[in-house]
Amino acid sequence: LALLEVGLAFGGLSGDQGWHAVPLFRKPAVSTGQLELVEEGLNVLRAQTEPFAIVSAVGPTRTGKSSILGRAFFRGEHENIFEVGSGVTSHTGGVWIASQPVEVKVADGSTLRVLFIDTEGFSGVGGITSKTYEANLFGLVYLLSSVVIFNTMFPVDASTVASLNAHASHALSMLQALTDSGQLVQKAKPRLVWSIQSFNIYNLHNSGMAATDLLAALRNASRASGAGIAVLGGEAASSSTWLVERLFEQQELVTVRRPHASDEVVANLAKYNSTILSADYLHDADQVRAAAMHDLKAVHRCKEAGTVLTLSECTPQPLVGTDFVAQVSLWLKHGYILDRSDLELDTADEAETLNRLRERNRKWFDEQCATLNEELRTKFYWYREESADNAKLRDEAVAAVDKMMKGFHGAALSRLVESGVFWKFPGKGAMLVEAQADQAMQRCKETLDGTRRHMEGWTASHRATKATPTRLCSRL
């Protein structure tokens, strides 16, 4: 099926029908890694009596999965259907699904309903998580979806590709577990859309590359061992095969530029309407939508025997919601996998890396506060003369430096995400930044308050000194 038209507006919403997100899977009460079904989300699936597709977003924490789903498919009144976080800790927990499907028209003129799924970010903080939990989350989302949007942050390198390949290996392990338990996954492979956020497009231009060239380069940076490929019914992978290619029918990379020049806007995106966002970002969000909707197929069961077949090998039989829920329940019951890295620790390297990050952060926070302090001194000096306008300008200067100081959290997170530490120790790195930012803001507030009091006293003294000759003359 090729996309022809997406409803009446972005995302195909045809009127206000109360779109909101409801939980489909929740995290376990204890860290077993076993996701738990939620009736509210299952009821959304059960309500589907016509063919429907599922588009899901997965990826590392705090990379904009919820935002890109909203801006690409629900732009306008419902663009915050999936709640968007504004701090450094994970906001989305578990797996959430839109309460109603979006209707799209496809090439043959028929209508296909599409449900959208948002997921908890990998390596997040603020709740119970583990590599086993993330492995099962990715594996289940892979099985559920017609299209998987893998969302990451610029820059990308071989380690990012290795991470994607590792998640693909989790899906492969789940397929093997299901096969071993007699639960064949008779469906066609989903498609992969790799969305890279805050992309500097000039890096591509300077290299004379297009997005397809970048994907090819990143693909070549990863080498599959071939282990476990037998579950797919194919030959062992060659040394140049990307494991992702064996699990997804097609892969497309979409570069997404920064939503806005302001760090404050980017950190609090849910507060801002799409009309103020960068035209480049909105164009790229449209590209994500087009890539996801291209050749979209309904959830189904293949007539042919086999596990995750290619499109050419599969004669699809669309599933209605009740049948699909039954299938999902079996996948959850028999597909549980364990990531053994949860049993391994590398505390020495972790401690050294986080200590270096702590020292760099301390120096950076001190430099930022010194800059604000000097700014406050300068403004008080400029507006030292007594007048209503100058008094107002001094108050505005105090408010301005206070606002910039409160931006320490967002700016420090941006620095963290751009460093290698975030991708190595994302959870603990984010917690460290959060704690240091709180401490730095408190220290800086005390410094700025002291400077304000000092400069207020100085300006008062300055005015008194200027007034003294006048009073002496009047006495004479």
Side-chain angles (χ1 to χ4, degrees):
L1 298 176
L3 177 69
L4 181 63
E5 181 182 349
V6 183
L8 301 177
F10 290 100
L13 301 183
S14 52
D16 185 357
Q17 300 183 38
W19 260 268
H20 59 282
V22 299
L24 178 59
F25 296 104
R26 63 170 164 256
K27 301 175 75 168
V30 293
S31 189
T32 62
Q34 179 77 60
L35 280 75
E36 299 174 355
L37 289 167
V38 181
E39 282 300 310
E40 194 174 0
L42 293 179
N43 286 337
V44 172
L45 293 174
R46 292 188 183 106
Q48 307 312 310
T49 58
E50 302 291 335
F52 66 99
I54 293 179
V55 174
S56 303
V58 297
T61 188
R62 308 303 301 127
T63 55
K65 294 180 297 299
S66 304
S67 296
I68 198 63
L69 281 176
R71 308 295 170 152
F73 302 101
F74 296 88
R75 195 180 308 164
E77 183 180 356
H78 300 280
E79 60 193 16
N80 290 318
I81 180 173
F82 296 108
E83 290 189 12
V84 178
S86 57
V88 298
T89 56
S90 297
H91 188 78
T92 304
V95 177
W96 292 70
I97 187 170
S99 59
Q100 297 187 46
V102 168
E103 293 187 350
V104 303
K105 290 184 179 179
V106 292
D108 64 1
S110 63
T111 297
L112 179 62
R113 293 166 175 80
V114 185
L115 288 167
F116 292 88
I117 284 178
D118 190 21
T119 63
E120 179 173 355
F122 300 135
S123 303
V125 295
I128 299 170
T129 189
S130 66
K131 294 296 183 183
T132 292
Y133 168 74
E134 293 173 0
N136 283 278
L137 186 153
F138 185 90
L140 281 168
V141 169
Y142 169 82
L143 294 174
L144 284 169
S145 303
S146 309
V147 173
V148 175
I149 299 174
F150 184 70
N151 195 71
T152 60
M153 189 71 74
F154 180 83
V156 292
D157 55 22
S159 65
T160 315
V161 182
S163 174
L164 175 54
N165 239 12
H167 292 305
S169 72
H170 296 149
L172 192 63
S173 297
M174 185 168 286
L175 288 171
Q176 186 66 63
L178 290 167
T179 300
D180 291 345
S181 63
Q183 300 292 324
L184 292 181
V185 182
Q186 293 177 244
K187 59 166 286 186
K189 301 174 184 178
R191 291 175 47 253
L192 176 72
V193 176
W194 186 355
S195 166
I196 305 177
Q197 299 280 332
S198 293
F199 199 94
N200 187 337
I201 201 70
Y202 290 101
N203 288 119
L204 276 184
H205 293 167
N206 293 342
S207 302
M209 298 172 69
T212 51
D213 301 318
L214 176 60
L215 179 61
L218 292 171
R219 180 188 298 122
N220 290 335
S222 179
R223 297 290 182 267
S225 66
I229 295 293
V231 69
L232 301 180
E235 299 295 327
S238 70
S239 62
S240 63
T241 298
W242 190 25
L243 179 57
V244 171
E245 287 181 313
R246 302 304 302 261
L247 286 164
F248 291 92
E249 180 70 20
Q250 298 172 353
Q251 310 92 46
E252 183 172 350
L253 186 147
V254 180
T255 58
V256 180
R257 285 163 283 190
R258 188 177 168 88
H260 197 276
S262 166
D263 284 341
E264 194 275 332
V265 172
V266 174
N268 299 283
L269 208 55
K271 292 166 49 179
Y272 296 95
N273 189 281
S274 287
T275 55
I276 77 157
L277 301 185
S278 159
D280 289 336
Y281 172 78
L282 297 178
H283 169 271
D284 296 340
D286 292 344
Q287 296 302 110
V288 171
R289 185 181 73 248
M293 296 293 101
H294 173 69
D295 203 19
L296 192 63
K297 53 184 177 291
V299 299
H300 60 272
R301 181 181 293 111
C302 297
K303 289 183 179 180
E304 296 79 5
T307 300
V308 284
L309 306 172
T310 64
L311 280 175
S312 61
E313 297 169 334
C314 174
T315 305
Q317 298 174 309
L319 297 174
V320 295
T322 52
D323 293 337
F324 189 64
V325 167
Q327 185 68 76
V328 170
S329 299
L330 290 173
W331 289 340
L332 184 64
K333 179 180 179 181
H334 298 287
Y336 176 77
I337 55 176
L338 174 67
D339 188 319
R340 297 191 178 277
S341 66
D342 276 339
L343 308 177
E344 302 169 1
L345 295 174
D346 185 10
T347 54
D349 181 55
E350 177 182 306
E352 182 181 354
T353 300
L354 292 177
N355 279 334
R356 288 199 301 268
L357 174 63
R358 182 180 292 106
E359 182 60 22
R360 287 199 302 271
N361 285 347
R362 185 191 63 76
K363 291 180 179 178
W364 183 81
F365 282 126
D366 288 347
E367 290 170 358
Q368 299 305 303
C369 188
T371 299
L372 295 181
N373 199 40
E374 185 60 30
E375 175 76 4
L376 189 61
R377 283 178 176 273
T378 301
K379 293 294 177 66
F380 264 77
Y381 179 79
W382 286 353
Y383 310 128
R384 62 189 180 276
E385 302 298 340
E386 183 60 27
S387 72
D389 286 343
N390 279 350
K392 180 180 179 182
L393 289 169
R394 289 194 296 269
D395 289 342
E396 289 176 353
V398 172
V401 296
D402 184 66
K403 181 178 180 180
M404 286 187 281
M405 179 191 67
K406 290 177 179 176
F408 279 5
H409 278 104
L413 176 61
S414 296
R415 283 169 47 84
L416 174 65
V417 170
E418 292 170 2
S419 74
V421 178
F422 181 78
W423 304 108
K424 194 170 185 180
F425 303 110
K428 293 187 178 179
M431 290 181 68
L432 176 61
V433 166
E434 183 93 11
Q436 283 192 286
D438 286 339
Q439 295 166 0
M441 287 171 60
Q442 182 60 38
R443 290 197 309 271
C444 194
K445 184 178 187 306
E446 293 171 359
T447 299
L448 294 175
D449 285 347
T451 297
R452 176 183 55 78
R453 290 192 295 270
H454 171 77
M455 293 305 293
E456 285 173 346
W458 178 85
T459 54
S461 175
H462 170 77
R463 292 192 295 270
T465 301
K466 289 186 65 177
T468 299
T470 302
R471 290 197 297 270
L472 287 175
C473 289
S474 66
R475 290 176 182 175
L476 292 173

